[in-house]
Amino acid sequence: MPKYHIDFMGLRKVFFTFSIVLILISIGSLAIRGLQFGIDFKGGTVITIGNGQGKSIEEVRSAFEGAKFGNVAVQTSRSANASGYLVRSTTTDPDTANNYATAAAEKLGMNVKDFSISTIGAGWGKKLTSSALTALAISIIAILIYISIRFEYKMSLMAVAALFHDVLITLGIYSLLGAEVSTSTIAALLTILGYSLYDTVVIFGRIKENTDNLQKMSFMGMANLSINEVFARSINTTVTSLLPVLVMLFMNVEVLNGFAIALTIGLFIGAYSSIGVAAPLYAMWKETEPKYVALRKKYGKKDAASV
């Protein structure tokens, strides 16, 4: 018997309501606020001033605007215990960007060699977007095939539904936070797919094992028992996965922030969706099969009363 006995299936309406609210908020934010794509996707220039000690953000902005760098966005950053700045512009020509950076450095009384200048053309962003979508499509197809062969097609569809749930909510929160979408965000989203799928497969695996010996219990009751049997393992896996990501997030290293934010959100949502979305949806679907309808009629009330 599992150490815990929580009525996850009895709470499925609460889980579904919670997920629907999160999904609606995410869709609303994505429709109204959209995503803030970085230069990896749009093309442009990012100038990193690693050590901006003694310079205010107004001085930095004024220097770059005075150098006719165009519409610039300046934000503070922190790396290796030094406070600095990130300056973003839509300039896609490397020589032009270097000339503007040199002029701005002179205005700030700094050496342009202290700046890190990255310029990416718009064409590269389109290629990157296409590659990311291709990688996502291949991943989804591979997941569908593997779980259908290893378990059954109903599990594969529910697992993929949970993945879309996780990615949509993660992007929605990303939109609400106004965080920049970069290549590290895409890497984090693909990583989230892996973590979320792992949790879901562990639960589905236990449900499949228990299905083979199912008797004197409804399918929903057996699915609930299966979740409780692996609940401690899921919590331990999620916590140990989150710890290094949270450390990365609190260290506030600029180049890793996008990855850490997306992964932190995704790990929470992925762990939740495996228990609160994928498993209940699958159990509800299975209980429409004649064999399990009979078990539900005979043992459903007894299962609920035993919780």
Side-chain angles (χ1 to χ4, degrees):
M1 289 292 291
K3 182 178 179 180
Y4 305 97
H5 195 78
I6 303 170
D7 186 13
F8 293 106
M9 293 300 165
L11 292 170
R12 62 185 183 279
K13 291 183 179 177
V14 176
F15 293 143
F16 293 162
T17 302
F18 179 62
S19 289
I20 289 170
V21 169
L22 286 181
I23 287 171
L24 290 177
I25 292 173
S26 298
I27 292 174
S29 181
L30 289 168
I32 297 170
R33 294 169 59 92
L35 290 169
Q36 182 184 338
F37 289 100
I39 67 168
D40 296 344
F41 294 91
K42 296 190 301 184
T45 297
V46 171
I47 296 177
T48 304
I49 304 174
N51 188 350
Q53 190 172 7
K55 309 297 179 187
S56 68
I57 191 169
E58 290 78 14
E59 289 176 311
V60 174
R61 182 180 293 109
S62 175
F64 278 92
E65 289 177 347
K68 299 180 180 178
F69 200 50
N71 293 325
V72 297
V74 183
Q75 69 179 86
T76 56
S77 66
R78 185 169 183 81
S79 179
N81 298 321
S83 297
Y85 296 97
L86 287 177
V87 182
R88 292 182 171 83
S89 167
T90 54
T91 301
T92 56
D93 180 68
D95 294 333
T96 303
N98 278 316
N99 291 336
Y100 289 154
T102 301
E106 289 177 357
K107 289 179 181 293
L108 289 168
M110 301 177 72
N111 192 324
V112 73
K113 292 182 179 178
D114 296 329
F115 294 178
S116 173
I117 306 172
S118 301
T119 302
I120 296 176
W124 193 82
K126 291 179 181 177
K127 183 179 178 182
L128 179 65
T129 303
S130 175
S131 299
L133 291 175
T134 302
L136 180 63
I138 292 173
S139 301
I140 296 297
I141 293 171
I143 290 167
L144 283 169
I145 293 173
Y146 172 74
I147 298 182
S148 294
I149 294 173
R150 178 66 180 81
F151 299 105
E152 69 166 300
Y153 79 96
K154 289 181 179 177
M155 283 186 176
S156 71
L157 292 177
M158 293 304 99
V160 169
L163 294 182
F164 277 111
H165 165 281
D166 300 343
V167 171
L168 177 59
I169 293 175
T170 301
L171 289 177
I173 296 175
Y174 227 73
S175 170
L176 284 172
L177 294 175
E180 183 178 281
V181 178
S182 63
T183 50
S184 62
T185 308
I186 301 302
L189 288 175
L190 293 174
T191 306
I192 289 167
L193 297 187
Y195 274 114
S196 177
L197 187 65
Y198 174 80
D199 274 341
T200 303
V201 165
V202 167
I203 292 172
F204 281 174
R206 183 54 59 93
I207 289 176
K208 186 175 186 300
E209 289 175 7
N210 290 338
T211 301
D212 296 337
N213 302 312
L214 178 59
Q215 55 182 338
K216 296 183 179 181
M217 182 178 282
S218 67
F219 191 91
M220 191 76 77
M222 179 275 295
N224 193 66
L225 175 66
S226 302
I227 296 174
N228 277 281
E229 287 176 344
V230 298
F231 183 61
R233 177 180 176 178
S234 294
I235 294 297
N236 291 335
T237 303
T238 302
V239 170
T240 52
S241 301
L242 269 172
L243 285 176
V245 181
L246 289 174
V247 171
M248 201 188 312
L249 187 63
F250 288 122
M251 284 180 66
N252 196 27
V253 178
E254 178 61 31
V255 294
L256 296 176
N257 269 351
F259 184 82
I261 291 172
L263 208 52
T264 301
I265 299 168
L267 285 173
F268 274 116
I269 297 297
Y272 155 74
S273 71
S274 299
I275 294 172
V277 177
L281 285 176
Y282 172 69
M284 289 170 64
W285 195 356
K286 289 294 287 185
E287 283 214 322
T288 62
E289 297 178 9
K291 175 183 176 181
Y292 300 119
V293 169
L295 284 174
R296 175 166 54 83
K297 288 180 179 177
K298 191 170 183 179
Y299 298 106
K301 291 183 179 178
K302 179 183 174 183
D303 293 341
S306 67
V307 174

